[in-house]
Short mmCIF file of all heavy atoms in Angstrom, two decimals:
data_model
loop_
_atom_site.label_atom_id
_atom_site.label_comp_id
_atom_site.label_asym_id
_atom_site.label_seq_id
_atom_site.Cartn_x
_atom_site.Cartn_y
_atom_site.Cartn_z
N MET Z 4 -1.77 2.21 -16.15
CA MET Z 4 -3.11 2.68 -15.90
C MET Z 4 -3.10 3.93 -15.03
O MET Z 4 -3.91 4.81 -15.23
CB MET Z 4 -3.93 1.59 -15.22
CG MET Z 4 -4.30 0.44 -16.13
SD MET Z 4 -5.26 -0.83 -15.29
CE MET Z 4 -6.68 0.05 -14.78
N TRP Z 5 -2.20 3.95 -14.05
CA TRP Z 5 -2.16 5.10 -13.14
C TRP Z 5 -1.83 6.37 -13.90
O TRP Z 5 -2.45 7.41 -13.71
CB TRP Z 5 -1.15 4.85 -12.03
CG TRP Z 5 -0.93 6.05 -11.17
CD1 TRP Z 5 -1.74 6.50 -10.16
CD2 TRP Z 5 0.15 6.96 -11.23
NE1 TRP Z 5 -1.24 7.63 -9.61
CE2 TRP Z 5 -0.06 7.95 -10.25
CE3 TRP Z 5 1.29 7.05 -12.03
CZ2 TRP Z 5 0.81 8.99 -10.04
CZ3 TRP Z 5 2.16 8.09 -11.82
CH2 TRP Z 5 1.92 9.05 -10.83
N ALA Z 6 -0.84 6.32 -14.77
CA ALA Z 6 -0.38 7.52 -15.47
C ALA Z 6 -1.36 7.98 -16.54
O ALA Z 6 -1.51 9.17 -16.77
CB ALA Z 6 0.97 7.27 -16.10
N LEU Z 7 -2.03 7.06 -17.19
CA LEU Z 7 -2.88 7.41 -18.33
C LEU Z 7 -4.37 7.38 -18.01
O LEU Z 7 -5.18 7.78 -18.85
CB LEU Z 7 -2.59 6.48 -19.50
CG LEU Z 7 -1.12 6.49 -19.98
CD1 LEU Z 7 -0.90 5.43 -21.05
CD2 LEU Z 7 -0.72 7.86 -20.47
N GLY Z 8 -4.73 6.91 -16.85
CA GLY Z 8 -6.14 6.78 -16.51
C GLY Z 8 -6.78 8.12 -16.16
O GLY Z 8 -6.09 9.12 -15.93
N ASP Z 9 -8.10 8.10 -16.10
CA ASP Z 9 -8.82 9.31 -15.69
C ASP Z 9 -8.66 9.49 -14.18
O ASP Z 9 -8.06 8.66 -13.49
CB ASP Z 9 -10.29 9.23 -16.11
CG ASP Z 9 -11.02 8.04 -15.50
OD1 ASP Z 9 -10.57 7.50 -14.48
OD2 ASP Z 9 -12.07 7.66 -16.04
N GLU Z 10 -9.21 10.56 -13.65
CA GLU Z 10 -9.05 10.89 -12.23
C GLU Z 10 -9.55 9.76 -11.33
O GLU Z 10 -8.90 9.40 -10.35
CB GLU Z 10 -9.78 12.20 -11.91
CG GLU Z 10 -9.62 12.67 -10.49
CD GLU Z 10 -8.22 13.17 -10.16
OE1 GLU Z 10 -7.42 13.41 -11.07
OE2 GLU Z 10 -7.93 13.30 -8.96
N GLN Z 11 -10.69 9.19 -11.65
CA GLN Z 11 -11.27 8.12 -10.83
C GLN Z 11 -10.36 6.89 -10.84
O GLN Z 11 -10.14 6.27 -9.79
CB GLN Z 11 -12.66 7.75 -11.36
CG GLN Z 11 -13.35 6.71 -10.52
CD GLN Z 11 -14.75 6.41 -11.02
OE1 GLN Z 11 -15.22 7.00 -11.99
NE2 GLN Z 11 -15.41 5.49 -10.37
N THR Z 12 -9.79 6.55 -11.99
CA THR Z 12 -8.88 5.41 -12.07
C THR Z 12 -7.62 5.66 -11.26
O THR Z 12 -7.17 4.79 -10.51
CB THR Z 12 -8.51 5.13 -13.54
OG1 THR Z 12 -9.70 4.86 -14.27
CG2 THR Z 12 -7.55 3.96 -13.67
N ARG Z 13 -7.05 6.85 -11.39
CA ARG Z 13 -5.83 7.18 -10.63
C ARG Z 13 -6.08 7.11 -9.13
O ARG Z 13 -5.28 6.57 -8.37
CB ARG Z 13 -5.31 8.57 -11.02
CG ARG Z 13 -4.57 8.58 -12.33
CD ARG Z 13 -3.80 9.87 -12.54
NE ARG Z 13 -4.63 11.04 -12.47
CZ ARG Z 13 -5.33 11.56 -13.50
NH1 ARG Z 13 -5.27 10.98 -14.68
NH2 ARG Z 13 -6.04 12.65 -13.35
N LEU Z 14 -7.23 7.65 -8.70
CA LEU Z 14 -7.55 7.62 -7.26
C LEU Z 14 -7.71 6.19 -6.75
O LEU Z 14 -7.28 5.85 -5.65
CB LEU Z 14 -8.79 8.46 -6.97
CG LEU Z 14 -8.61 9.97 -7.13
CD1 LEU Z 14 -9.95 10.67 -6.95
CD2 LEU Z 14 -7.58 10.50 -6.16
N ALA Z 15 -8.34 5.34 -7.55
CA ALA Z 15 -8.54 3.93 -7.16
C ALA Z 15 -7.18 3.22 -7.06
O ALA Z 15 -6.94 2.46 -6.11
CB ALA Z 15 -9.43 3.22 -8.16
N ILE Z 16 -6.30 3.48 -8.00
CA ILE Z 16 -4.98 2.85 -7.97
C ILE Z 16 -4.17 3.36 -6.79
O ILE Z 16 -3.50 2.58 -6.10
CB ILE Z 16 -4.24 3.07 -9.31
CG1 ILE Z 16 -4.94 2.27 -10.40
CG2 ILE Z 16 -2.77 2.70 -9.20
CD1 ILE Z 16 -4.49 2.57 -11.81
N GLU Z 17 -4.22 4.66 -6.52
CA GLU Z 17 -3.51 5.21 -5.38
C GLU Z 17 -4.05 4.66 -4.06
O GLU Z 17 -3.27 4.38 -3.15
CB GLU Z 17 -3.59 6.74 -5.40
CG GLU Z 17 -2.74 7.34 -6.49
CD GLU Z 17 -2.92 8.84 -6.64
OE1 GLU Z 17 -3.54 9.48 -5.76
OE2 GLU Z 17 -2.43 9.38 -7.65
N ALA Z 18 -5.35 4.46 -3.97
CA ALA Z 18 -5.94 3.88 -2.75
C ALA Z 18 -5.46 2.43 -2.57
O ALA Z 18 -5.12 2.02 -1.46
CB ALA Z 18 -7.47 3.94 -2.81
N ALA Z 19 -5.41 1.66 -3.66
CA ALA Z 19 -4.92 0.28 -3.57
C ALA Z 19 -3.43 0.27 -3.19
O ALA Z 19 -3.00 -0.58 -2.41
CB ALA Z 19 -5.14 -0.43 -4.90
N HIS Z 20 -2.69 1.20 -3.74
CA HIS Z 20 -1.25 1.34 -3.41
C HIS Z 20 -1.08 1.62 -1.92
O HIS Z 20 -0.25 0.99 -1.25
CB HIS Z 20 -0.69 2.48 -4.28
CG HIS Z 20 0.77 2.70 -4.16
ND1 HIS Z 20 1.70 1.88 -4.76
CD2 HIS Z 20 1.48 3.66 -3.51
CE1 HIS Z 20 2.92 2.33 -4.49
NE2 HIS Z 20 2.81 3.40 -3.73
N GLU Z 21 -1.88 2.52 -1.38
CA GLU Z 21 -1.83 2.84 0.06
C GLU Z 21 -2.15 1.62 0.91
O GLU Z 21 -1.46 1.35 1.90
CB GLU Z 21 -2.82 3.96 0.40
CG GLU Z 21 -2.38 5.33 0.01
CD GLU Z 21 -1.18 5.79 0.83
OE1 GLU Z 21 -1.10 5.50 2.03
OE2 GLU Z 21 -0.32 6.45 0.23
N ARG Z 22 -3.21 0.90 0.54
CA ARG Z 22 -3.58 -0.31 1.29
C ARG Z 22 -2.46 -1.34 1.27
O ARG Z 22 -2.16 -1.98 2.28
CB ARG Z 22 -4.87 -0.91 0.74
CG ARG Z 22 -6.12 -0.21 1.20
CD ARG Z 22 -7.39 -0.99 0.89
NE ARG Z 22 -7.51 -1.37 -0.50
CZ ARG Z 22 -8.04 -0.62 -1.47
NH1 ARG Z 22 -8.49 0.59 -1.19
NH2 ARG Z 22 -8.13 -1.06 -2.71
N ALA Z 23 -1.82 -1.50 0.13
CA ALA Z 23 -0.73 -2.47 0.02
C ALA Z 23 0.43 -2.09 0.94
O ALA Z 23 1.00 -2.95 1.62
CB ALA Z 23 -0.26 -2.58 -1.43
N ILE Z 24 0.78 -0.82 0.95
CA ILE Z 24 1.87 -0.37 1.81
C ILE Z 24 1.52 -0.60 3.27
O ILE Z 24 2.35 -1.10 4.05
CB ILE Z 24 2.19 1.12 1.55
CG1 ILE Z 24 2.83 1.27 0.17
CG2 ILE Z 24 3.11 1.68 2.64
CD1 ILE Z 24 2.93 2.71 -0.29
N GLN Z 25 0.31 -0.27 3.67
CA GLN Z 25 -0.11 -0.47 5.06
C GLN Z 25 -0.07 -1.93 5.45
O GLN Z 25 0.38 -2.29 6.54
CB GLN Z 25 -1.51 0.12 5.29
CG GLN Z 25 -1.54 1.61 5.26
CD GLN Z 25 -0.58 2.24 6.27
OE1 GLN Z 25 -0.46 1.81 7.40
NE2 GLN Z 25 0.14 3.26 5.82
N ARG Z 26 -0.52 -2.81 4.56
CA ARG Z 26 -0.51 -4.25 4.87
C ARG Z 26 0.91 -4.78 5.02
O ARG Z 26 1.18 -5.60 5.90
CB ARG Z 26 -1.28 -5.02 3.81
CG ARG Z 26 -2.78 -4.69 3.88
CD ARG Z 26 -3.61 -5.65 3.16
NE ARG Z 26 -3.50 -6.96 3.77
CZ ARG Z 26 -3.97 -8.06 3.21
NH1 ARG Z 26 -4.60 -8.00 2.07
NH2 ARG Z 26 -3.82 -9.22 3.80
N VAL Z 27 1.81 -4.33 4.17
CA VAL Z 27 3.21 -4.77 4.28
C VAL Z 27 3.81 -4.30 5.59
O VAL Z 27 4.46 -5.07 6.30
CB VAL Z 27 4.04 -4.26 3.07
CG1 VAL Z 27 5.53 -4.42 3.32
CG2 VAL Z 27 3.63 -5.00 1.80
N LEU Z 28 3.58 -3.03 5.94
CA LEU Z 28 4.12 -2.52 7.21
C LEU Z 28 3.53 -3.26 8.40
O LEU Z 28 4.24 -3.57 9.36
CB LEU Z 28 3.87 -1.02 7.33
CG LEU Z 28 4.75 -0.14 6.45
CD1 LEU Z 28 4.31 1.31 6.53
CD2 LEU Z 28 6.21 -0.28 6.84
N GLU Z 29 2.23 -3.57 8.36
CA GLU Z 29 1.60 -4.32 9.45
C GLU Z 29 2.22 -5.71 9.57
O GLU Z 29 2.48 -6.18 10.67
CB GLU Z 29 0.10 -4.43 9.21
CG GLU Z 29 -0.65 -3.14 9.44
CD GLU Z 29 -2.10 -3.20 8.95
OE1 GLU Z 29 -2.55 -4.28 8.51
OE2 GLU Z 29 -2.75 -2.15 8.99
N ARG Z 30 2.47 -6.35 8.43
CA ARG Z 30 3.06 -7.69 8.46
C ARG Z 30 4.48 -7.63 9.04
O ARG Z 30 4.86 -8.47 9.86
CB ARG Z 30 3.08 -8.29 7.07
CG ARG Z 30 3.65 -9.67 7.03
CD ARG Z 30 3.19 -10.43 5.81
NE ARG Z 30 3.79 -11.74 5.74
CZ ARG Z 30 3.41 -12.80 6.43
NH1 ARG Z 30 2.41 -12.69 7.28
NH2 ARG Z 30 4.01 -13.95 6.30
N ILE Z 31 5.26 -6.65 8.60
CA ILE Z 31 6.61 -6.50 9.14
C ILE Z 31 6.55 -6.27 10.64
O ILE Z 31 7.29 -6.89 11.41
CB ILE Z 31 7.35 -5.35 8.43
CG1 ILE Z 31 7.68 -5.74 6.98
CG2 ILE Z 31 8.63 -4.98 9.17
CD1 ILE Z 31 8.19 -4.60 6.14
N GLU Z 32 5.66 -5.38 11.07
CA GLU Z 32 5.57 -5.03 12.48
C GLU Z 32 5.12 -6.23 13.33
O GLU Z 32 5.62 -6.43 14.42
CB GLU Z 32 4.59 -3.87 12.64
CG GLU Z 32 4.80 -3.06 13.88
CD GLU Z 32 4.03 -1.75 13.83
OE1 GLU Z 32 2.87 -1.74 13.36
OE2 GLU Z 32 4.59 -0.75 14.26
N CYS Z 33 4.21 -7.03 12.83
CA CYS Z 33 3.64 -8.14 13.61
C CYS Z 33 4.46 -9.43 13.53
O CYS Z 33 4.44 -10.22 14.46
CB CYS Z 33 2.22 -8.44 13.16
SG CYS Z 33 1.06 -7.15 13.58
N HIS Z 34 5.14 -9.67 12.41
CA HIS Z 34 5.74 -10.98 12.22
C HIS Z 34 7.26 -10.96 12.00
O HIS Z 34 7.88 -12.01 12.05
CB HIS Z 34 5.10 -11.68 11.02
CG HIS Z 34 3.63 -11.89 11.17
ND1 HIS Z 34 3.09 -12.80 12.05
CD2 HIS Z 34 2.58 -11.26 10.61
CE1 HIS Z 34 1.78 -12.75 11.99
NE2 HIS Z 34 1.45 -11.81 11.13
N ILE Z 35 7.83 -9.82 11.72
CA ILE Z 35 9.24 -9.80 11.37
C ILE Z 35 10.08 -8.99 12.35
O ILE Z 35 11.13 -9.44 12.80
CB ILE Z 35 9.44 -9.28 9.93
CG1 ILE Z 35 8.73 -10.23 8.95
CG2 ILE Z 35 10.91 -9.14 9.59
CD1 ILE Z 35 8.63 -9.72 7.54
N ALA Z 36 9.62 -7.79 12.68
CA ALA Z 36 10.41 -6.90 13.55
C ALA Z 36 10.42 -7.41 14.97
O ALA Z 36 9.37 -7.60 15.59
CB ALA Z 36 9.83 -5.48 13.50
N VAL Z 37 11.60 -7.67 15.47
CA VAL Z 37 11.75 -8.08 16.87
C VAL Z 37 12.97 -7.38 17.46
O VAL Z 37 13.90 -7.01 16.76
CB VAL Z 37 11.93 -9.61 17.05
CG1 VAL Z 37 10.69 -10.36 16.64
CG2 VAL Z 37 13.15 -10.11 16.32
N ILE Z 38 12.92 -7.18 18.76
CA ILE Z 38 14.06 -6.68 19.50
C ILE Z 38 14.61 -7.85 20.29
O ILE Z 38 13.86 -8.51 21.02
CB ILE Z 38 13.64 -5.54 20.44
CG1 ILE Z 38 13.13 -4.36 19.63
CG2 ILE Z 38 14.81 -5.12 21.33
CD1 ILE Z 38 12.50 -3.28 20.48
N ARG Z 39 15.88 -8.13 20.10
CA ARG Z 39 16.52 -9.23 20.83
C ARG Z 39 17.35 -8.64 21.95
O ARG Z 39 18.04 -7.66 21.77
CB ARG Z 39 17.40 -10.02 19.88
CG ARG Z 39 16.59 -10.69 18.77
CD ARG Z 39 17.48 -11.39 17.81
NE ARG Z 39 18.19 -12.45 18.52
CZ ARG Z 39 19.04 -13.27 17.96
NH1 ARG Z 39 19.32 -13.18 16.69
NH2 ARG Z 39 19.65 -14.20 18.68
#
């Protein structure tokens, strides 16, 4: 969908992609990354 969609579709997919990356990084930072 991202490659073949219109501009609005591509932007929506890219925004969802950004949100997913941010959520993963937040989860890693809050629950996984520790200094021992």
